[in-house]
Short mmCIF file of all heavy atoms in Angstrom, two decimals:
data_model
loop_
_atom_site.label_atom_id
_atom_site.label_comp_id
_atom_site.label_asym_id
_atom_site.label_seq_id
_atom_site.Cartn_x
_atom_site.Cartn_y
_atom_site.Cartn_z
N MET A 1281 -86.85 -175.99 29.87
CA MET A 1281 -86.76 -177.33 30.10
C MET A 1281 -85.31 -177.75 30.07
O MET A 1281 -84.55 -177.47 29.13
CB MET A 1281 -87.55 -178.07 29.06
CG MET A 1281 -87.54 -179.65 29.24
SD MET A 1281 -88.68 -180.43 28.13
CE MET A 1281 -87.62 -180.85 26.75
N PRO A 1282 -84.82 -178.37 31.10
CA PRO A 1282 -83.39 -178.78 31.20
C PRO A 1282 -83.07 -179.87 30.07
O PRO A 1282 -83.96 -180.66 29.71
CB PRO A 1282 -83.22 -179.38 32.55
CG PRO A 1282 -84.40 -178.98 33.30
CD PRO A 1282 -85.39 -178.74 32.36
N ILE A 1283 -81.85 -179.83 29.74
CA ILE A 1283 -81.38 -180.78 28.72
C ILE A 1283 -80.51 -181.89 29.41
O ILE A 1283 -79.75 -181.58 30.35
CB ILE A 1283 -80.55 -180.07 27.61
CG1 ILE A 1283 -80.13 -180.94 26.46
CG2 ILE A 1283 -79.32 -179.33 28.21
CD1 ILE A 1283 -79.57 -180.24 25.26
N SER A 1284 -80.74 -183.08 29.01
CA SER A 1284 -80.11 -184.13 29.73
C SER A 1284 -78.65 -184.23 29.32
O SER A 1284 -78.18 -183.74 28.20
CB SER A 1284 -80.78 -185.56 29.38
OG SER A 1284 -80.51 -185.85 28.03
N LYS A 1285 -77.85 -184.95 30.17
CA LYS A 1285 -76.44 -185.13 29.88
C LYS A 1285 -76.28 -185.96 28.59
O LYS A 1285 -75.38 -185.75 27.77
CB LYS A 1285 -75.78 -185.85 30.97
CG LYS A 1285 -75.59 -184.98 32.25
CD LYS A 1285 -74.89 -185.71 33.34
CE LYS A 1285 -74.81 -184.88 34.59
NZ LYS A 1285 -74.16 -185.48 35.70
N GLU A 1286 -77.14 -186.93 28.40
CA GLU A 1286 -77.11 -187.76 27.26
C GLU A 1286 -77.29 -186.98 25.90
O GLU A 1286 -76.58 -187.14 25.00
CB GLU A 1286 -78.10 -188.91 27.27
CG GLU A 1286 -77.89 -189.93 28.45
CD GLU A 1286 -78.34 -189.50 29.79
OE1 GLU A 1286 -79.06 -188.50 29.89
OE2 GLU A 1286 -77.84 -190.07 30.76
N THR A 1287 -78.27 -186.03 26.02
CA THR A 1287 -78.52 -185.17 24.82
C THR A 1287 -77.38 -184.26 24.58
O THR A 1287 -76.88 -184.07 23.50
CB THR A 1287 -79.79 -184.34 25.09
OG1 THR A 1287 -80.86 -185.26 25.29
CG2 THR A 1287 -80.06 -183.45 23.86
N MET A 1288 -76.74 -183.65 25.68
CA MET A 1288 -75.61 -182.82 25.45
C MET A 1288 -74.44 -183.62 24.90
O MET A 1288 -73.76 -183.15 23.93
CB MET A 1288 -75.15 -182.22 26.86
CG MET A 1288 -76.04 -181.00 27.20
SD MET A 1288 -75.39 -180.05 28.57
CE MET A 1288 -75.35 -181.07 29.87
N GLN A 1289 -74.23 -184.88 25.34
CA GLN A 1289 -73.08 -185.68 24.83
C GLN A 1289 -73.38 -186.00 23.30
O GLN A 1289 -72.50 -185.90 22.50
CB GLN A 1289 -72.99 -186.93 25.55
CG GLN A 1289 -72.35 -186.85 26.91
CD GLN A 1289 -70.93 -186.52 26.90
OE1 GLN A 1289 -70.35 -186.05 26.00
NE2 GLN A 1289 -70.25 -186.77 28.07
N ALA A 1290 -74.60 -186.24 22.91
CA ALA A 1290 -74.98 -186.47 21.54
C ALA A 1290 -74.74 -185.23 20.61
O ALA A 1290 -74.19 -185.37 19.51
CB ALA A 1290 -76.40 -186.91 21.43
N ILE A 1291 -75.11 -184.07 21.15
CA ILE A 1291 -74.88 -182.80 20.42
C ILE A 1291 -73.36 -182.66 20.22
O ILE A 1291 -72.93 -182.27 19.24
CB ILE A 1291 -75.55 -181.63 21.15
CG1 ILE A 1291 -77.03 -181.81 21.09
CG2 ILE A 1291 -75.13 -180.31 20.52
CD1 ILE A 1291 -77.79 -180.85 21.95
N ILE A 1292 -72.60 -182.87 21.32
CA ILE A 1292 -71.12 -182.69 21.25
C ILE A 1292 -70.53 -183.59 20.17
O ILE A 1292 -69.70 -183.23 19.35
CB ILE A 1292 -70.48 -182.84 22.64
CG1 ILE A 1292 -70.91 -181.78 23.63
CG2 ILE A 1292 -69.03 -183.05 22.51
CD1 ILE A 1292 -70.62 -182.01 25.11
N ARG A 1293 -71.02 -184.86 20.23
CA ARG A 1293 -70.46 -185.86 19.23
C ARG A 1293 -70.86 -185.39 17.80
O ARG A 1293 -70.05 -185.47 16.86
CB ARG A 1293 -71.11 -187.24 19.47
CG ARG A 1293 -70.35 -188.02 20.58
CD ARG A 1293 -70.70 -189.47 20.51
NE ARG A 1293 -72.17 -189.64 20.85
CZ ARG A 1293 -72.70 -189.66 21.99
NH1 ARG A 1293 -71.95 -189.47 23.07
NH2 ARG A 1293 -74.05 -189.80 22.07
N GLU A 1294 -72.06 -185.01 17.60
CA GLU A 1294 -72.64 -184.56 16.34
C GLU A 1294 -71.75 -183.44 15.68
O GLU A 1294 -71.52 -183.40 14.55
CB GLU A 1294 -74.09 -184.14 16.43
CG GLU A 1294 -74.76 -183.77 15.15
CD GLU A 1294 -75.02 -184.92 14.20
OE1 GLU A 1294 -75.13 -186.02 14.70
OE2 GLU A 1294 -75.11 -184.73 12.92
N TYR A 1295 -71.36 -182.53 16.56
CA TYR A 1295 -70.59 -181.37 16.13
C TYR A 1295 -69.15 -181.51 16.14
O TYR A 1295 -68.34 -180.66 15.98
CB TYR A 1295 -71.03 -180.15 16.79
CG TYR A 1295 -72.31 -179.49 16.28
CD1 TYR A 1295 -73.50 -179.91 16.92
CD2 TYR A 1295 -72.38 -178.72 15.26
CE1 TYR A 1295 -74.70 -179.41 16.50
CE2 TYR A 1295 -73.64 -178.23 14.75
CZ TYR A 1295 -74.72 -178.61 15.37
OH TYR A 1295 -75.95 -178.16 14.91
N GLY A 1296 -68.66 -182.77 16.54
CA GLY A 1296 -67.28 -183.11 16.60
C GLY A 1296 -66.44 -182.43 17.69
O GLY A 1296 -65.34 -182.10 17.64
N GLY A 1297 -67.16 -182.20 18.81
CA GLY A 1297 -66.56 -181.57 19.98
C GLY A 1297 -65.85 -182.47 20.82
O GLY A 1297 -65.76 -183.71 20.57
N PHE A 1298 -65.20 -181.99 21.88
CA PHE A 1298 -64.52 -182.80 22.81
C PHE A 1298 -65.47 -183.56 23.73
O PHE A 1298 -66.44 -183.00 24.26
CB PHE A 1298 -63.54 -181.91 23.76
CG PHE A 1298 -62.51 -181.20 22.88
CD1 PHE A 1298 -62.64 -179.82 22.67
CD2 PHE A 1298 -61.47 -181.86 22.37
CE1 PHE A 1298 -61.65 -179.13 21.98
CE2 PHE A 1298 -60.44 -181.23 21.65
CZ PHE A 1298 -60.60 -179.90 21.46
N GLU A 1299 -65.17 -184.81 24.02
CA GLU A 1299 -65.93 -185.61 24.94
C GLU A 1299 -65.78 -184.97 26.34
O GLU A 1299 -64.70 -184.75 26.83
CB GLU A 1299 -65.57 -186.99 24.95
CG GLU A 1299 -66.45 -187.89 25.69
CD GLU A 1299 -66.18 -189.39 25.49
OE1 GLU A 1299 -65.78 -189.74 24.41
OE2 GLU A 1299 -66.33 -190.16 26.34
N LEU A 1300 -66.91 -184.82 27.04
CA LEU A 1300 -66.83 -184.26 28.41
C LEU A 1300 -67.26 -185.29 29.37
O LEU A 1300 -68.14 -186.14 29.15
CB LEU A 1300 -67.74 -183.03 28.56
CG LEU A 1300 -67.49 -181.84 27.66
CD1 LEU A 1300 -68.46 -180.82 27.94
CD2 LEU A 1300 -66.06 -181.29 27.85
N SER A 1301 -66.61 -185.23 30.61
CA SER A 1301 -67.00 -186.14 31.65
C SER A 1301 -68.29 -185.61 32.28
O SER A 1301 -68.75 -184.55 32.03
CB SER A 1301 -65.84 -186.15 32.72
OG SER A 1301 -65.80 -184.92 33.39
N ASP A 1302 -68.88 -186.41 33.15
CA ASP A 1302 -70.16 -186.08 33.85
C ASP A 1302 -69.92 -184.82 34.67
O ASP A 1302 -70.71 -183.94 34.79
CB ASP A 1302 -70.69 -187.22 34.66
CG ASP A 1302 -71.43 -188.17 33.87
OD1 ASP A 1302 -71.70 -188.03 32.68
OD2 ASP A 1302 -71.74 -189.39 34.37
N GLU A 1303 -68.67 -184.71 35.29
CA GLU A 1303 -68.33 -183.65 36.18
C GLU A 1303 -68.25 -182.36 35.30
O GLU A 1303 -68.66 -181.29 35.72
CB GLU A 1303 -67.09 -183.82 36.95
CG GLU A 1303 -67.12 -184.99 37.96
CD GLU A 1303 -67.03 -186.43 37.37
OE1 GLU A 1303 -66.53 -186.57 36.20
OE2 GLU A 1303 -67.46 -187.31 38.00
N GLU A 1304 -67.66 -182.46 34.17
CA GLU A 1304 -67.48 -181.34 33.22
C GLU A 1304 -68.88 -180.91 32.69
O GLU A 1304 -69.18 -179.73 32.63
CB GLU A 1304 -66.58 -181.68 32.11
CG GLU A 1304 -65.20 -181.76 32.56
CD GLU A 1304 -64.22 -182.37 31.44
OE1 GLU A 1304 -64.67 -183.32 30.75
OE2 GLU A 1304 -63.18 -181.82 31.25
N LEU A 1305 -69.74 -181.82 32.42
CA LEU A 1305 -71.13 -181.49 32.00
C LEU A 1305 -71.92 -180.84 33.11
O LEU A 1305 -72.66 -179.87 32.84
CB LEU A 1305 -71.85 -182.79 31.56
CG LEU A 1305 -71.44 -183.37 30.18
CD1 LEU A 1305 -72.15 -184.72 30.01
CD2 LEU A 1305 -71.68 -182.43 29.08
N ASP A 1306 -71.65 -181.26 34.31
CA ASP A 1306 -72.28 -180.55 35.46
C ASP A 1306 -71.89 -179.06 35.53
O ASP A 1306 -72.68 -178.16 35.93
CB ASP A 1306 -71.94 -181.20 36.79
CG ASP A 1306 -72.63 -182.55 36.99
OD1 ASP A 1306 -73.64 -182.74 36.28
OD2 ASP A 1306 -72.09 -183.39 37.69
N LEU A 1307 -70.61 -178.85 35.15
CA LEU A 1307 -70.13 -177.35 35.11
C LEU A 1307 -70.88 -176.50 34.05
O LEU A 1307 -71.02 -175.33 34.29
CB LEU A 1307 -68.61 -177.32 34.96
CG LEU A 1307 -67.76 -177.81 36.13
CD1 LEU A 1307 -66.35 -177.95 35.72
CD2 LEU A 1307 -68.01 -177.05 37.34
N VAL A 1308 -71.09 -177.10 32.87
CA VAL A 1308 -71.67 -176.34 31.79
C VAL A 1308 -73.21 -176.34 31.82
O VAL A 1308 -73.81 -175.53 31.22
CB VAL A 1308 -71.20 -176.71 30.43
CG1 VAL A 1308 -69.66 -176.64 30.35
CG2 VAL A 1308 -71.54 -178.16 30.14
N GLN A 1309 -73.80 -177.27 32.58
CA GLN A 1309 -75.29 -177.46 32.58
C GLN A 1309 -75.94 -176.16 32.91
O GLN A 1309 -76.96 -175.79 32.24
CB GLN A 1309 -75.62 -178.51 33.63
CG GLN A 1309 -77.11 -178.82 33.65
CD GLN A 1309 -77.58 -179.65 32.49
OE1 GLN A 1309 -76.92 -180.57 32.19
NE2 GLN A 1309 -78.71 -179.35 31.91
N PRO A 1310 -75.61 -175.37 33.98
CA PRO A 1310 -76.27 -174.09 34.25
C PRO A 1310 -76.26 -173.12 33.11
O PRO A 1310 -77.32 -172.38 32.80
CB PRO A 1310 -75.45 -173.55 35.47
CG PRO A 1310 -74.78 -174.71 36.11
CD PRO A 1310 -74.55 -175.64 34.93
N GLU A 1311 -75.18 -173.04 32.33
CA GLU A 1311 -75.03 -172.16 31.18
C GLU A 1311 -75.97 -172.56 30.09
O GLU A 1311 -76.63 -171.69 29.46
CB GLU A 1311 -73.61 -172.08 30.68
CG GLU A 1311 -72.63 -171.45 31.64
CD GLU A 1311 -72.94 -170.02 31.94
OE1 GLU A 1311 -73.32 -169.25 30.95
OE2 GLU A 1311 -72.72 -169.61 33.12
N VAL A 1312 -75.90 -173.83 29.79
CA VAL A 1312 -76.87 -174.38 28.77
C VAL A 1312 -78.35 -174.14 29.12
O VAL A 1312 -79.21 -173.66 28.26
CB VAL A 1312 -76.66 -175.91 28.53
CG1 VAL A 1312 -77.66 -176.53 27.58
CG2 VAL A 1312 -75.24 -176.10 27.96
N ASP A 1313 -78.69 -174.36 30.40
CA ASP A 1313 -80.01 -174.19 30.83
C ASP A 1313 -80.37 -172.68 30.78
O ASP A 1313 -81.52 -172.37 30.32
CB ASP A 1313 -80.23 -174.63 32.34
CG ASP A 1313 -80.18 -176.22 32.39
OD1 ASP A 1313 -80.31 -176.82 31.35
OD2 ASP A 1313 -79.98 -176.71 33.56
N GLY A 1314 -79.54 -171.83 31.18
CA GLY A 1314 -79.72 -170.38 31.03
C GLY A 1314 -79.98 -169.98 29.63
O GLY A 1314 -80.89 -169.11 29.26
N TYR A 1315 -79.18 -170.46 28.65
CA TYR A 1315 -79.37 -170.10 27.24
C TYR A 1315 -80.67 -170.61 26.78
O TYR A 1315 -81.45 -169.88 26.08
CB TYR A 1315 -78.24 -170.81 26.51
CG TYR A 1315 -78.41 -170.59 25.04
CD1 TYR A 1315 -77.99 -169.39 24.40
CD2 TYR A 1315 -78.95 -171.59 24.19
CE1 TYR A 1315 -78.11 -169.27 23.04
CE2 TYR A 1315 -79.01 -171.51 22.87
CZ TYR A 1315 -78.63 -170.22 22.24
OH TYR A 1315 -78.81 -170.07 20.87
N LEU A 1316 -81.11 -171.81 27.12
CA LEU A 1316 -82.41 -172.37 26.69
C LEU A 1316 -83.49 -171.53 27.22
O LEU A 1316 -84.52 -171.27 26.56
CB LEU A 1316 -82.47 -173.78 27.08
CG LEU A 1316 -81.57 -174.83 26.28
CD1 LEU A 1316 -81.73 -176.15 26.95
CD2 LEU A 1316 -81.87 -174.81 24.81
N GLU A 1317 -83.45 -171.03 28.49
CA GLU A 1317 -84.38 -170.30 29.12
C GLU A 1317 -84.55 -168.94 28.42
O GLU A 1317 -85.67 -168.47 28.14
CB GLU A 1317 -84.10 -170.08 30.60
CG GLU A 1317 -85.21 -169.36 31.36
CD GLU A 1317 -84.88 -169.31 32.85
OE1 GLU A 1317 -84.39 -170.32 33.41
OE2 GLU A 1317 -84.94 -168.14 33.37
N ALA A 1318 -83.43 -168.37 28.06
CA ALA A 1318 -83.41 -167.03 27.37
C ALA A 1318 -83.99 -167.18 25.98
O ALA A 1318 -84.76 -166.29 25.47
CB ALA A 1318 -81.95 -166.54 27.26
N MET A 1319 -83.80 -168.28 25.33
CA MET A 1319 -84.31 -168.59 23.91
C MET A 1319 -85.72 -168.80 23.99
O MET A 1319 -86.54 -168.36 23.11
CB MET A 1319 -83.62 -169.73 23.23
CG MET A 1319 -82.17 -169.43 22.91
SD MET A 1319 -81.94 -168.10 21.61
CE MET A 1319 -81.61 -166.65 22.71
N ALA A 1320 -86.17 -169.40 25.06
CA ALA A 1320 -87.71 -169.68 25.25
C ALA A 1320 -88.45 -168.32 25.37
O ALA A 1320 -89.53 -168.20 24.99
CB ALA A 1320 -87.91 -170.54 26.40
N GLY A 1321 -87.70 -167.36 26.04
CA GLY A 1321 -88.36 -166.09 26.20
C GLY A 1321 -88.50 -165.23 25.00
O GLY A 1321 -89.27 -164.38 24.99
N THR A 1322 -87.84 -165.62 23.92
CA THR A 1322 -88.00 -164.91 22.64
C THR A 1322 -89.21 -165.43 21.85
O THR A 1322 -89.49 -164.78 20.83
CB THR A 1322 -86.67 -165.09 21.78
OG1 THR A 1322 -86.51 -166.37 21.44
CG2 THR A 1322 -85.48 -164.56 22.48
N ALA A 1323 -89.76 -166.48 22.17
CA ALA A 1323 -90.82 -167.04 21.44
C ALA A 1323 -92.04 -166.25 21.30
O ALA A 1323 -92.82 -166.19 20.37
CB ALA A 1323 -91.21 -168.46 22.03
N ASN A 1324 -92.22 -165.29 22.38
CA ASN A 1324 -93.46 -164.48 22.38
C ASN A 1324 -93.16 -163.02 21.92
O ASN A 1324 -94.00 -162.18 22.14
CB ASN A 1324 -94.07 -164.49 23.84
CG ASN A 1324 -94.53 -165.90 24.15
OD1 ASN A 1324 -95.01 -166.61 23.38
ND2 ASN A 1324 -94.34 -166.24 25.38
N LEU A 1325 -91.96 -162.75 21.38
CA LEU A 1325 -91.64 -161.40 20.95
C LEU A 1325 -92.45 -161.10 19.69
O LEU A 1325 -92.54 -161.89 18.78
CB LEU A 1325 -90.14 -161.35 20.62
CG LEU A 1325 -89.23 -161.32 21.74
CD1 LEU A 1325 -87.78 -161.31 21.26
CD2 LEU A 1325 -89.49 -160.20 22.72
N ASP A 1326 -92.98 -159.89 19.68
CA ASP A 1326 -93.67 -159.38 18.56
C ASP A 1326 -92.58 -158.73 17.60
O ASP A 1326 -92.19 -157.64 17.84
CB ASP A 1326 -94.73 -158.36 18.91
CG ASP A 1326 -95.41 -157.78 17.67
OD1 ASP A 1326 -95.35 -158.33 16.56
OD2 ASP A 1326 -96.19 -156.84 17.90
N LEU A 1327 -92.30 -159.41 16.58
CA LEU A 1327 -91.27 -158.95 15.59
C LEU A 1327 -91.93 -158.45 14.30
O LEU A 1327 -91.26 -158.33 13.25
CB LEU A 1327 -90.32 -160.00 15.33
CG LEU A 1327 -89.54 -160.54 16.44
CD1 LEU A 1327 -88.64 -161.63 16.24
CD2 LEU A 1327 -88.71 -159.39 17.20
N SER A 1328 -93.22 -158.22 14.31
CA SER A 1328 -93.95 -157.83 13.08
C SER A 1328 -93.49 -156.51 12.51
O SER A 1328 -93.62 -156.25 11.31
CB SER A 1328 -95.46 -157.78 13.33
OG SER A 1328 -95.73 -156.78 14.38
N ASP A 1329 -92.84 -155.68 13.30
CA ASP A 1329 -92.36 -154.29 12.80
C ASP A 1329 -90.89 -154.36 12.55
O ASP A 1329 -90.32 -153.26 12.21
CB ASP A 1329 -92.72 -153.19 13.79
CG ASP A 1329 -94.12 -152.83 13.87
OD1 ASP A 1329 -94.91 -153.13 12.89
OD2 ASP A 1329 -94.62 -152.44 14.92
N VAL A 1330 -90.25 -155.48 12.61
CA VAL A 1330 -88.81 -155.54 12.39
C VAL A 1330 -88.56 -156.07 10.97
O VAL A 1330 -89.04 -157.08 10.46
CB VAL A 1330 -88.12 -156.46 13.34
CG1 VAL A 1330 -86.67 -156.68 13.16
CG2 VAL A 1330 -88.45 -156.09 14.83
N MET A 1331 -87.75 -155.29 10.26
CA MET A 1331 -87.49 -155.68 8.85
C MET A 1331 -86.47 -156.86 8.81
O MET A 1331 -85.49 -156.87 9.57
CB MET A 1331 -86.77 -154.56 8.06
CG MET A 1331 -86.58 -154.89 6.62
SD MET A 1331 -85.65 -153.73 5.59
CE MET A 1331 -85.80 -152.15 6.41
N SER A 1332 -86.80 -157.82 7.98
CA SER A 1332 -85.94 -158.99 7.91
C SER A 1332 -84.58 -158.69 7.31
O SER A 1332 -84.49 -157.92 6.34
CB SER A 1332 -86.59 -160.09 7.02
OG SER A 1332 -85.81 -161.07 6.80
N SER A 1333 -83.47 -159.13 7.93
CA SER A 1333 -82.17 -158.89 7.35
C SER A 1333 -82.03 -159.53 6.02
O SER A 1333 -81.09 -159.26 5.29
CB SER A 1333 -81.10 -159.44 8.30
OG SER A 1333 -81.23 -160.78 8.45
N ARG A 1334 -82.90 -160.53 5.65
CA ARG A 1334 -82.74 -161.18 4.34
C ARG A 1334 -83.14 -160.21 3.28
O ARG A 1334 -82.82 -160.55 2.09
CB ARG A 1334 -83.66 -162.40 4.32
CG ARG A 1334 -83.08 -163.54 5.22
CD ARG A 1334 -83.91 -164.79 5.11
NE ARG A 1334 -85.25 -164.52 5.70
CZ ARG A 1334 -86.26 -165.35 5.70
NH1 ARG A 1334 -86.20 -166.42 5.03
NH2 ARG A 1334 -87.39 -165.03 6.31
N LEU A 1335 -83.86 -159.15 3.56
CA LEU A 1335 -84.31 -158.16 2.55
C LEU A 1335 -83.22 -157.16 2.26
O LEU A 1335 -83.25 -156.39 1.28
CB LEU A 1335 -85.50 -157.50 2.97
CG LEU A 1335 -86.77 -158.37 3.26
CD1 LEU A 1335 -87.91 -157.52 3.77
CD2 LEU A 1335 -87.11 -159.11 2.00
N LEU A 1336 -82.14 -157.05 3.12
CA LEU A 1336 -81.15 -156.00 2.96
C LEU A 1336 -80.13 -156.52 1.85
O LEU A 1336 -79.79 -157.74 1.76
CB LEU A 1336 -80.37 -155.85 4.21
CG LEU A 1336 -81.36 -155.30 5.41
CD1 LEU A 1336 -80.41 -155.24 6.69
CD2 LEU A 1336 -81.94 -154.06 5.02
N ARG A 1337 -79.59 -155.56 1.12
CA ARG A 1337 -78.62 -155.85 0.06
C ARG A 1337 -77.38 -154.97 0.30
O ARG A 1337 -77.47 -153.80 0.56
CB ARG A 1337 -79.19 -155.62 -1.33
CG ARG A 1337 -80.48 -156.45 -1.68
CD ARG A 1337 -80.02 -157.88 -2.00
NE ARG A 1337 -81.17 -158.64 -2.44
CZ ARG A 1337 -81.71 -159.62 -1.71
NH1 ARG A 1337 -81.27 -159.87 -0.52
NH2 ARG A 1337 -82.77 -160.18 -2.18
N VAL A 1338 -76.18 -155.61 0.10
CA VAL A 1338 -74.94 -154.96 0.23
C VAL A 1338 -74.68 -154.32 -1.14
O VAL A 1338 -74.72 -154.94 -2.16
CB VAL A 1338 -73.82 -155.93 0.66
CG1 VAL A 1338 -72.51 -155.27 0.72
CG2 VAL A 1338 -74.26 -156.49 2.08
N ALA A 1339 -74.27 -153.05 -1.07
CA ALA A 1339 -73.75 -152.38 -2.34
C ALA A 1339 -72.39 -152.93 -2.68
O ALA A 1339 -71.50 -152.80 -1.87
CB ALA A 1339 -73.70 -150.89 -2.15
N GLU A 1340 -72.34 -153.54 -3.84
CA GLU A 1340 -71.00 -154.19 -4.22
C GLU A 1340 -70.41 -153.43 -5.37
O GLU A 1340 -71.11 -152.56 -6.10
CB GLU A 1340 -71.29 -155.65 -4.68
CG GLU A 1340 -71.72 -156.51 -3.44
CD GLU A 1340 -71.97 -157.95 -3.85
OE1 GLU A 1340 -71.45 -158.28 -4.96
OE2 GLU A 1340 -72.45 -158.68 -3.02
N GLY A 1341 -69.20 -153.56 -5.66
CA GLY A 1341 -68.55 -153.00 -6.82
C GLY A 1341 -67.70 -151.94 -6.52
O GLY A 1341 -67.01 -151.31 -7.46
N GLY A 1342 -67.56 -151.42 -5.24
CA GLY A 1342 -66.56 -150.35 -4.95
C GLY A 1342 -67.02 -149.01 -5.35
O GLY A 1342 -66.21 -148.11 -5.41
N GLY A 1343 -68.26 -148.84 -5.68
CA GLY A 1343 -68.74 -147.48 -6.11
C GLY A 1343 -68.93 -146.52 -4.93
O GLY A 1343 -68.51 -146.81 -3.80
N GLU A 1344 -69.68 -145.48 -5.23
CA GLU A 1344 -69.95 -144.42 -4.18
C GLU A 1344 -70.57 -145.04 -2.87
O GLU A 1344 -70.32 -144.64 -1.78
CB GLU A 1344 -70.88 -143.46 -4.71
CG GLU A 1344 -70.27 -142.23 -5.38
CD GLU A 1344 -71.39 -141.36 -5.87
OE1 GLU A 1344 -72.37 -141.06 -5.23
OE2 GLU A 1344 -71.15 -140.79 -6.98
N ASN A 1345 -71.55 -146.01 -3.11
CA ASN A 1345 -72.32 -146.43 -1.98
C ASN A 1345 -71.70 -147.67 -1.34
O ASN A 1345 -72.26 -148.30 -0.44
CB ASN A 1345 -73.76 -146.81 -2.50
CG ASN A 1345 -74.46 -145.59 -2.97
OD1 ASN A 1345 -74.33 -144.50 -2.37
ND2 ASN A 1345 -75.22 -145.72 -3.92
N ALA A 1346 -70.51 -148.07 -1.73
CA ALA A 1346 -69.91 -149.26 -1.15
C ALA A 1346 -69.19 -148.92 0.23
O ALA A 1346 -68.93 -147.90 0.50
CB ALA A 1346 -68.91 -149.87 -2.22
#
């Protein structure tokens, strides 16, 4: 689903970005739409066999396993 220019401007303001003109938004619109389409494609991925990265622990302390 395409994102409106008004929504993009609101997101840019929320994150403290540079204000873009309508012409500049037209230039980035295809990239944003492509990103949203790619993310929508991940909604149906079966990740049941993928270990969550939140379960991984880093060996700290500079020992053998660090």
Side-chain angles (χ1 to χ4, degrees):
M1281 179 168 95
I1283 187 170
S1284 71
K1285 289 181 185 178
E1286 293 80 17
T1287 301
M1288 284 196 291
Q1289 289 287 21
I1291 293 169
I1292 291 168
R1293 278 192 302 277
E1294 182 73 24
Y1295 284 94
F1298 298 106
E1299 189 171 327
L1300 299 178
S1301 68
D1302 283 347
E1303 293 79 20
E1304 291 169 319
L1305 288 173
D1306 288 338
L1307 292 173
V1308 299
Q1309 184 79 43
E1311 293 296 324
V1312 172
D1313 290 344
Y1315 175 79
L1316 292 174
E1317 187 176 315
M1319 290 297 97
T1322 65
N1324 297 321
L1325 289 178
D1326 178 12
L1327 301 176
S1328 60
D1329 289 334
V1330 177
M1331 185 187 335
S1332 171
S1333 63
R1334 294 183 288 171
L1335 300 176
L1336 302 176
R1337 299 284 184 252
V1338 175
E1340 296 181 11
E1344 267 181 41
N1345 296 324

